[in-house]
Structures are given as C-alpha cells and as structure tokens.
Amino acid sequence: MGVTMRDIALRAGVSVSTASRALNHKGDVSPDARARVLAAAHDLNYAANAHARALAGASSHTLGLIFINNGDSFFARMARSVTDVATAHNYSIVACNTNENPAHELQALQTLREKRVDGILIGSIASGEAPIRRLVEEGIPFVLINRFLDDVETDCVYSDNRNGAYQAISYLCRLGHRRIMHVTYPDDRFAVRERLIGYRRALAENGIPYDPCLLLRTDLSLPSLYQTTKDALCSLDLRPTAIFVYNDTTSTAVLKAVHDAGLAVPHDISVVGYDNLDYSAFLDPPLTTVTHAADEIGRMGAEILFEKMQWPQDQPWAIRRVVLQPELVIRQSSEACPHNRANQPETTIEHDSQRHAA
Amino acid sequence: MGVTMRDIALRAGVSVSTASRALNHKGDVSPDARARVLAAAHDLNYAANAHARALAGASSHTLGLIFINNGDSFFARMARSVTDVATAHNYSIVACNTNENPAHELQALQTLREKRVDGILIGSIASGEAPIRRLVEEGIPFVLINRFLDDVETDCVYSDNRNGAYQAISYLCRLGHRRIMHVTYPDDRFAVRERLIGYRRALAENGIPYDPCLLLRTDLSLPSLYQTTKDALCSLDLRPTAIFVYNDTTSTAVLKAVHDAGLAVPHDISVVGYDNLDYSAFLDPPLTTVTHAADEIGRMGAEILFEKMQWPQDQPWAIRRVVLQPELVIRQSSEACPHNRANQPETTIEHDSQRHAA
DNA sequence: TTGTAAGCGTTATCAG
DNA sequence: CTGATAACGCTTACAA
C-alpha cells in the first residue's frame, strides 16, 4: 500500500528515472513530461518515501536536536528558533530529551546516528567528552548550543554565563553590597557552575571573601526554593543585603520569601535575577536581571550547523566559537546597600523600568 | 563509508540474515553466533541504518509532533511529556512548528507523510478539517492534542477551556462581581475562542448582559497588553471590578497595569488568570487561576496514539475523546466585589495561598 | 531528453 | 539454527 514513484511514472507514461528527475527538478526533463509527472503526483497525492530517498544516496534532510529538558521555557525558545531555521532550509528536526541522564544522552546520539541525520545541535552534555569526540571522528557535523567544552575544540554558541553573573554581582558591589547571597541549583547544571564562577570572581575582585553560608542550593521546585530562602533569611545572624538568584522564574519565589520574612525589596534586600523573561519587567517590583537571547543561540547554532554541513569536504573548516554577551537590565528590585546609603547616592544608578513596559 | 551489517556479518563469520536476527533479537540464533555478532557490532561501533530498516518493512519508529508554537511554555511542557512517553517506547519524535500558518501546517503534514511516521500528535489546526480527513482516509493514526474538531470524529485529548473559563467567571459572579473584563488575544487561537465561550455562558447564566467594551483584545506581547489594559482602566467610565485574563503570563502585565492605574488588587479589582504556572503562586498577590495539566495532555495523547498504533487492524477502534477538567485555584488576587462587600462575607470564600507555597 | 539497470542497507521468505 | 535471495522505493550513472 502507498503510492510509489512507479505509480506516478506509469500514470504519466514515463520511466521512473524521468519521474524522479521531474519531481526533484534535476536534470533535463521536457516541460511536457514534467507537467504530466507533476500532475500525476498531485492526482495520486504522492508523498515520496524519505527512507528510500535517503537510502539511495540523498541526504536525510534531518537535523538532530538534543536537550536536557525540552519542557524548560529557555530551551523551548531555543528549540523554536532552531526549528524555524531548519524549516527555512526545508529540513526537519528530530528532537531528543535527556533529562541530564547520561544513558539517555548516549541513546539519543545512537538514535540520531541510526537515522543518519545530517547534523546535530547538542544542548546536553551529561556523558562527558567521549561521545563528542566520537562524533568528530565519525565526521558528523554538530554544534554545541548553550554550552561548551574546555578540552575539545568544537563549534559552539553560548551565552557567557560567567560574565552575566559577574556583571550582576559587580553592579551590586558598586551599590555597596557586600553580603550577597546566591540562590541556585545543584552543580550538575552547566549554567549553574558557570554563573557561580562569575559570582565568585566578582566577589574576589571586590575584596569580598566568599562565604559558603551565602550560597543557597535548592532543588528545582519553587515551593522548596521559597521555603529554603525564607528559612535562611530568618535564621542567618548576618543577613544578606542582596540576593542573586539563578533565574527569573525562581526569583518570583525569592521575592515572596523576602516579603514573607518581613523584609522589603529593594529597601532591605536587593534581588537580581537572570534570563529577563517576558514577565520579569512586570513583577512587583520589576526585576533587575540579566538578559541573554535564547533565540539567538538557537538561530546562530542552526545557521552555523548548516554552513558546516554545506562546507566543501576538501576545504578546511575553521572552528566557530560564538560567545554571546549577556547584558544587565536594571529595574526596581535593586538599590544601594542600606548600610551605605549615605555614601552612595541613588541617582548614580540608571533605572530601566519602562524599557519593557513602554 | 559507514559500517553496514555486511561488515559485522563478515567479522562475526555469519550471514547477513543471521546478523540481522541476532541484532534484532528475532528468530532463533545460537548463543554463540549471537555473541559474536553483538561483539562485532560493538567493536565496529555499528549503527543500523534506520532508513534501510524502514524501507525493508520495519516501522520507522518515529512519531510526528505538530505544534503552533513549540517555543510557548505550555506547548513545551506538552512536548516534554510526549517525548518522555515516546522515549519509553523507544520511539523518536519529529517536531514541526506551524506558527499557525496553514501553509506551514500542510508542509509539516507532507513531511511527516514522507518520513512515514507511525503516528502523529497534532497540536495545530490552521488549515481546517480537510487535511485531518485525509489523514483518516490514508489510515495514518493520529491524535489531536489540546484541541478538537466539531465536525470530525477523531481521537483527541484536550482540557475543557470553556469549563475553565466558566468556573472562573462563575466564581467571580458568586463574589458579587458583575462588571468582569476579559483581557485576551485575537480569535484565531483555539483556546481563546473556547475560553470566550465559557466567559459568555457564565455571564448569561448569571443574568449579566455581555458588554463588548469589557472584552479587551491585544496582541501577543506583554508591553502592549499592559498598555492596552491600563488605558482601558483609565478611560472606561464604568470600570470593571474584576478581570479575567487569558493566561498567567499575561496576568503579570495586568497586575501591574491595575497597580499603575492607581488601583489595588484585589481590593479594587480582582484578577483571575489561567494556566497555574509554577510562579503564579508567588506573584504579588498570589494569583487566582485555573489549573490544567499540559503534561497530562501530552502524556495521554501519546499513550492513546501508541495504543491505536498497536491496535489490530481487524478490530474496530473506538474513538477516544478525553476531556480533562480544569480546576479553579483560589488565591489572594480575588475577593468579593467592592460594591457588595457588606452582603457577601469574605469568609465564605476558601483561600488557597499555601497550596503551592507549602 | 529519456530509459535501463545497478545499487543503497535492511528485513523477510523460504529452503536447507 | 542458518544462509541465499528477493523485495522495499528511490537516485544516479550510463547508454540510447
């Protein structure tokens, strides 16, 4: 069952090869024959068998996409821009999810090899460098998105999480804050590690010793993050005057935790998030945060991958390493440290409340 | 290039058919031969060619997934649960995005036909019923997720948006509200139409005439939604006492609009959202909203699809139509209508602030 | 410009 | 239990 090229060749009164040429706009086919073939294909509601096509030598016209969590809104936005670029190139996407599980990741890689995808966008590295190196050996084009590897020279597109965190903390230091809490997740997340590095570097540069008590690790649910933060605020003998939160979503819980601990943002405690989500400008107070473009990462990753796939085999390909710089967006959730307010006039700080509400 | 089954058969000293049987755990193969084949496959880092496999008669082990916007967080969560179910069945997902564009949708459908996917999960109907009917004719199993068609009997899993809106509005009416604004999007979104139906039905049942002035349509960006809402609140001669917003994300902008119009939530205006996102319980004030499970829709849709795909051809398949009922989650963003506060003691209303902050 | 024929890498049927 | 051998539906030399 299923209509094949034979059927349409028969109906059009031509051979299979002519039909193939006509359908693929390849080679010379008389306008007349082409018209008959196209008509037949249309009449029969023909859908070329992609498997046969790929097997016979054509490319699979498919990209693999591997994410640690395609349900996450940041990854979803990357997925979307990747999909858009792929669609524009007439490619389709095989989407895999690893849940940061090394076994799933290896399985995904194997599936994509079996499907003979033309290239892979990798947004998950749970099993270390080995699988990546194998990809290089096998000559399967790929681009790392939203992450990079220190010890493997690969194409990658990512946002500089270290610098984003660094900017946030430096800004808080300029406001006079010295006790800056960091509310974040366990270390197995790539971005968690990176932002922590930026956090510590900025502290160091400002002569602030790193205090492990101010590093709050929680699991990935808002309720427990809320509770952990509130408990910490109530129990610490030396309260922080600022909190740098892993991202904007979790900042909502932190804002409420501060509030419910009887403190005011930003008067008692400044809060800075990360991601600059759509709604962050509309929180109460509007959230100071770090902006970095998920769409850009996805789009550029996909575009570089296509470039690489189309690169002539005999030409040397120069590794592309794109680092997008995040930007601090200052809103009303942060202000000068209460202890220094006299020394540090608020007017030195540019506010940006209307940037997204205009 | 690429190691084939021939290579591993050669290395294992067996025929290709024996190799195939060993690799697929099909038919009887001597333990000895199987071991040699498996070892060879491992040594050579073999990846079976999925295209050859599909062409030779095996299924493609692939599902199609069509969404209007895979960057949207609600769809992303559906995608995730779909992916998880598929992975558990050892299936992979070809993800398509239509942007509600009929042409893209038809293209996606065609691509999936060409790829000979075993089934399709459809979360986009922009081109009407015709393509769906064709799918039925062609015998390609599919399940509609997050939507349904009135005039075609198809399997589908969706959340009852009408009822969700109905519950929200009925609740507001019980609180004495009679001027209830609905802030929403243009009508081309399926869920927009459905929720509007529920809104109007609840008004009608409570003897409240539908007032077009209270229906606010905006585009999909938060800043313009914010502005539109604020302008409306400032210009309407008869202000609403409650606002039912299309979803929680947009509710953030509405909360700020109310606030910036010099009004208080819920004292002057009650606000009710839709979706019950993670952070909705942490907004200020915590948002009354309607909860409906994206994960459930995705999971059940995928499971029904697998059931259908495995259904014996000769047995009749009874259409499955799963309607998930949303639930109202009452928090602090809503309270009795200011005009009736004397008649309607607040104590009759159950609050649920801790439900997600516990 | 067109047709013939040889693969592509599997699976499946059928003898041995 | 094993091995030829014929599909599967298409692309692509090559020949006409």
Side-chain angles (χ1 to χ4, degrees):
Chain A
M1 56 163 286
V3 20
T4 76
M5 213 153 90
R6 260 182 72 120
D7 300 325
I8 85 151
L10 234 56
R11 176 179 251 253
V14 296
S15 73
V16 179
S17 38
T18 302
S20 170
R21 280 186 290 257
L23 257 5
N24 296 305
H25 307 281
K26 263 186 190 166
D28 288 319
V29 180
S30 71
D32 183 48
R34 155 160 303 145
R36 289 206 311 280
V37 169
L38 262 32
H42 179 265
D43 295 349
L44 268 39
N45 192 21
Y46 174 68
N49 185 320
H51 301 298
R53 185 176 278 186
L55 190 57
S59 97
S60 66
H61 263 234
T62 304
L63 251 41
L65 179 62
I66 306 183
F67 275 148
I68 52 170
N69 181 1
N70 60 5
D72 180 273
S73 63
F74 190 78
F75 282 102
R77 276 160 56 203
M78 284 200 287
R80 193 199 148 122
S81 53
V82 165
T83 314
D84 287 347
V85 174
T87 305
H89 285 255
N90 209 357
Y91 263 66
S92 42
I93 297 284
V94 175
C96 307
N97 210 30
T98 68
N99 294 326
E100 317 224 32
N101 178 331
H104 285 186
E105 186 177 297
L106 292 172
Q107 181 56 55
L109 248 11
Q110 180 68 3
T111 300
L112 296 177
R113 295 201 314 141
E114 294 184 354
K115 292 213 182 299
R116 299 296 191 264
V117 296
D118 296 337
I120 309 184
L121 287 160
I122 302 179
S124 162
I125 306 179
S127 4
E129 305 166 0
I132 306 291
R133 290 192 191 279
R134 193 173 313 161
L135 245 32
V136 177
E137 284 166 21
E138 295 180 37
I140 302 178
F142 68 92
V143 175
L144 265 34
I145 51 176
N146 205 32
R147 57 237 310 117
F148 61 87
L149 282 171
D150 284 320
D151 301 328
V152 192
E153 277 282 305
T154 56
D155 301 282
C156 55
V157 179
Y158 63 92
S159 169
D160 190 344
N161 281 289
R162 295 183 197 188
N163 181 249
Y166 176 86
Q167 283 185 56
I169 303 304
S170 302
Y171 157 75
L172 288 170
C173 290
R174 282 199 303 280
L175 289 177
H177 294 277
R178 294 187 60 85
R179 291 194 61 74
I180 305 172
M181 176 177 267
H182 184 23
V183 176
T184 188
Y185 291 142
D187 240 1
D188 44 359
R189 275 212 173 188
F190 180 81
V192 165
R193 294 194 298 273
E194 292 291 308
R195 290 176 198 171
L196 189 52
I197 291 173
Y199 167 78
R200 296 190 61 162
R201 179 178 302 165
L203 289 184
E205 283 191 13
N206 285 277
I208 302 172
Y210 166 70
D211 179 353
C213 295
L214 292 178
L215 184 64
L216 228 59
R217 304 272 197 174
T218 79
D219 64 33
L220 297 152
S221 86
L222 259 46
S224 64
L225 188 139
Y226 165 82
Q227 199 59 51
T228 309
T229 307
K230 198 166 85 170
D231 291 350
L233 291 177
C234 296
S235 68
L236 276 177
D237 20 318
L238 253 179
R239 257 207 315 263
T241 62
I243 306 181
F244 173 50
V245 192
Y246 176 66
N247 65 18
D248 287 3
T249 306
T250 45
S251 292
T252 59
V254 169
L255 287 175
K256 188 162 166 43
V258 172
H259 183 263
D260 292 357
L263 300 163
V265 176
H267 187 267
D268 301 309
I269 294 191
S270 290
V271 174
V272 176
Y274 207 109
D275 280 353
N276 192 27
L277 299 180
D278 285 343
Y279 62 78
S280 304
F282 298 99
L283 292 174
D284 187 19
L287 189 66
T288 295
T289 186
V290 178
T291 195
H292 58 153
D295 334 357
E296 267 306 273
I297 296 176
R299 193 182 60 70
M300 296 195 65
E303 278 171 0
I304 289 173
L305 184 56
F306 275 110
E307 237 185 284
K308 193 171 185 182
M309 280 159 31
Q310 286 154 7
W311 201 257
Q313 298 269 350
D314 50 344
Q315 301 287 317
W317 165 266
I319 293 284
R320 306 275 291 273
R321 197 182 174 97
V322 178
V323 186
L324 301 171
Q325 287 307 335
E327 253 180 75
L328 186 67
V329 180
I330 298 172
R331 300 205 185 94
Q332 285 81 25
S333 69
S334 52
E335 64 173 36
C337 176
H339 309 327
N340 307 40
R341 230 159 248 161
N343 324 340
Q344 179 99 20
E346 276 183 61
T347 46
T348 60
I349 308 305
E350 246 181 88
H351 273 264
D352 177 56
S353 68
Q354 294 311 304
R355 172 168 179 163
H356 285 84
Chain B
M1 58 160 287
V3 20
T4 76
M5 213 152 91
R6 261 181 71 121
D7 301 324
I8 85 148
L10 234 56
R11 176 181 252 253
V14 296
S15 71
V16 177
S17 17
T18 301
S20 171
R21 278 187 292 255
L23 257 5
N24 296 303
H25 306 282
K26 263 186 189 167
D28 289 319
V29 181
S30 71
D32 184 49
R34 155 160 304 145
R36 287 205 314 279
V37 169
L38 262 32
H42 179 264
D43 294 349
L44 269 40
N45 193 20
Y46 173 69
N49 186 320
H51 301 298
R53 187 175 279 187
L55 190 57
S59 96
S60 66
H61 263 237
T62 304
L63 251 41
L65 179 61
I66 307 183
F67 275 147
I68 52 171
N69 180 0
N70 61 5
D72 180 274
S73 64
F74 191 77
F75 282 102
R77 276 161 54 202
M78 283 199 288
R80 193 199 147 120
S81 53
V82 166
T83 315
D84 287 348
V85 174
T87 305
H89 285 255
N90 211 356
Y91 263 66
S92 42
I93 296 284
V94 174
C96 308
N97 211 29
T98 68
N99 293 327
E100 317 223 34
N101 178 331
H104 285 186
E105 185 176 297
L106 292 172
Q107 182 55 54
L109 249 10
Q110 180 68 2
T111 301
L112 296 177
R113 295 202 313 142
E114 293 184 352
K115 291 213 182 301
R116 300 297 191 265
V117 296
D118 296 336
I120 309 183
L121 287 160
I122 302 179
S124 162
I125 306 179
S127 3
E129 304 167 359
I132 306 290
R133 291 192 191 279
R134 192 173 314 160
L135 246 31
V136 177
E137 283 166 21
E138 295 181 37
I140 301 178
F142 68 92
V143 174
L144 265 35
I145 51 176
N146 206 31
R147 57 236 314 113
F148 62 86
L149 283 171
D150 284 321
D151 301 328
V152 192
E153 276 282 306
T154 57
D155 301 282
C156 56
V157 179
Y158 63 92
S159 169
D160 191 343
N161 281 290
R162 296 183 196 189
N163 182 250
Y166 176 85
Q167 284 185 56
I169 303 304
S170 303
Y171 157 75
L172 288 170
C173 290
R174 282 198 303 280
L175 288 177
H177 294 278
R178 294 185 61 83
R179 291 194 60 74
I180 304 172
M181 175 177 268
H182 185 24
V183 176
T184 188
Y185 289 142
D187 240 1
D188 44 358
R189 274 213 173 186
F190 180 81
V192 165
R193 296 195 297 274
E194 291 291 308
R195 289 176 199 171
L196 189 53
I197 292 173
Y199 167 78
R200 296 190 60 162
R201 178 178 303 164
L203 289 184
E205 283 191 12
N206 284 276
I208 303 173
Y210 168 68
D211 179 353
C213 295
L214 291 178
L215 184 65
L216 227 59
R217 304 271 198 175
T218 79
D219 63 35
L220 296 152
S221 85
L222 259 46
S224 64
L225 188 139
Y226 165 82
Q227 199 59 50
T228 310
T229 307
K230 199 167 85 172
D231 290 350
L233 290 177
C234 295
S235 68
L236 275 177
D237 21 317
L238 253 179
R239 257 207 317 263
T241 62
I243 306 182
F244 173 50
V245 192
Y246 176 67
N247 65 18
D248 287 4
T249 305
T250 45
S251 293
T252 59
V254 169
L255 287 175
K256 189 163 167 42
V258 173
H259 184 262
D260 292 356
L263 300 163
V265 176
H267 187 267
D268 301 309
I269 295 191
S270 290
V271 173
V272 176
Y274 208 111
D275 280 352
N276 192 26
L277 299 179
D278 285 343
Y279 62 79
S280 303
F282 298 98
L283 293 174
D284 186 21
L287 189 66
T288 295
T289 186
V290 178
T291 195
H292 59 155
D295 334 357
E296 267 307 273
I297 297 176
R299 193 182 60 71
M300 294 194 67
E303 278 171 0
I304 290 172
L305 184 56
F306 275 110
E307 237 186 285
K308 193 172 183 181
M309 281 160 31
Q310 287 154 6
W311 201 256
Q313 298 270 350
D314 49 346
Q315 301 287 318
W317 165 265
I319 293 284
R320 305 275 290 274
R321 195 183 174 96
V322 178
V323 187
L324 301 171
Q325 287 307 334
E327 252 180 75
L328 186 67
V329 180
I330 298 172
R331 300 205 185 94
Q332 285 81 26
S333 69
S334 52
E335 65 174 36
C337 177
H339 309 327
N340 308 41
R341 233 159 245 160
N343 324 340
Q344 179 97 19
E346 276 184 61
T347 46
T348 60
I349 308 304
E350 245 182 87
H351 273 266
D352 177 56
S353 68
Q354 295 311 306
R355 172 168 179 161
H356 285 84

